[in-house]
Amino acid sequence: INLMLAISLGLLLIIMAILIKSQRTKNRLYRNIVKQNTEVLEREEVWKNQCPEEETDSPVKSEDEKKNALFTKLCLLMEKKHLYRNEKLQREQMASLLNTNHTYLTNIIAEKTGMNFPQFVNSYRIHEAVRILSDISKADYPLKQLCFDIGFSSLSTFYKAFQENVGMSPSTYRKSARSMDKT
């Protein structure tokens, strides 16, 4: 009986050591994700300061220049007007704002980003969520409110998109960001 207890205790200690090591590794990975996103946000601020506030209507010659101009205009609308916050945003609406058709717009988004229209819009939403969740002054911002404020129509869609894009849930990201700010 003593031998069985000793073996059981030994196995229990080994399992606990493995779990602790696994948790530490996971926390380290989460901190790295938060750190990378923080660095991206900082670089983006520098980049935004270097970009023009408005797109220019210079005469466009080639098809590539037309595509680049349209994509630039699309990105400026998303970044400056925050169109992604509209949960009912459709590609037809966006195409109309850009004076093009939705198929051409979809093709340009796919060509430039490798994403379809909903993925493209959600990338802006997730980026905004990361920015807000990284901001310690907004630590009490309810996740449900955040979800709707950035344009998602459901909490489950927000969580799924955030998990796919960032690699962890929004609440885990917030906890990791808070713990990094304390150190």
Side-chain angles (χ1 to χ4, degrees), residues 21-38:
K21 183 173 173 32
S22 171
Q23 187 65 32
R24 285 183 179 165
T25 302
K26 187 167 78 170
N27 287 341
R28 191 175 328 112
L29 289 172
Y30 285 165
R31 281 192 305 272
N32 285 339
I33 290 172
V34 170
K35 184 180 176 185
Q36 288 173 350
N37 279 304
T38 303

Side-chain angles (χ1 to χ4, degrees), residues 33-34 37-38 41 125-147 150 152 155 158-159 161-163 166 168-181:
I33 290 172
V34 170
N37 279 304
T38 303
L41 290 171
R125 292 173 176 161
I126 296 301
H127 185 76
E128 175 83 0
V130 165
R131 190 185 58 72
I132 291 169
L133 293 173
S134 297
D135 186 349
I136 196 69
S137 70
K138 297 182 181 178
D140 295 330
Y141 201 126
L143 289 177
K144 190 172 186 176
Q145 184 66 43
L146 172 64
C147 161
I150 61 174
F152 282 98
L155 199 55
F158 169 56
Y159 268 79
F162 195 95
Q163 180 76 36
V166 179
M168 66 178 91
S169 71
S171 55
T172 303
Y173 186 90
R174 176 184 277 164
K175 285 180 203 170
S176 297
R178 281 183 189 169
S179 70
M180 283 187 65
D181 193 56

Side-chain angles (χ1 to χ4, degrees), residues 84-95:
Y84 57 87
R85 291 180 181 165
N86 176 359
E87 70 180 52
K88 296 182 186 340
L89 181 65
Q90 299 290 319
R91 66 183 175 156
E92 289 77 12
Q93 290 173 285
M94 186 63 76

Side-chain angles (χ1 to χ4, degrees), residues 74 88-98 100-107 109 116-118 121:
L74 169 65
K88 296 182 186 340
L89 181 65
Q90 299 290 319
R91 66 183 175 156
E92 289 77 12
Q93 290 173 285
M94 186 63 76
S96 176
L97 286 170
L98 296 167
T100 189
N101 68 59
H102 67 271
T103 305
Y104 188 68
L105 176 63
T106 302
N107 290 340
I109 291 171
N116 61 33
F117 182 76
V121 172

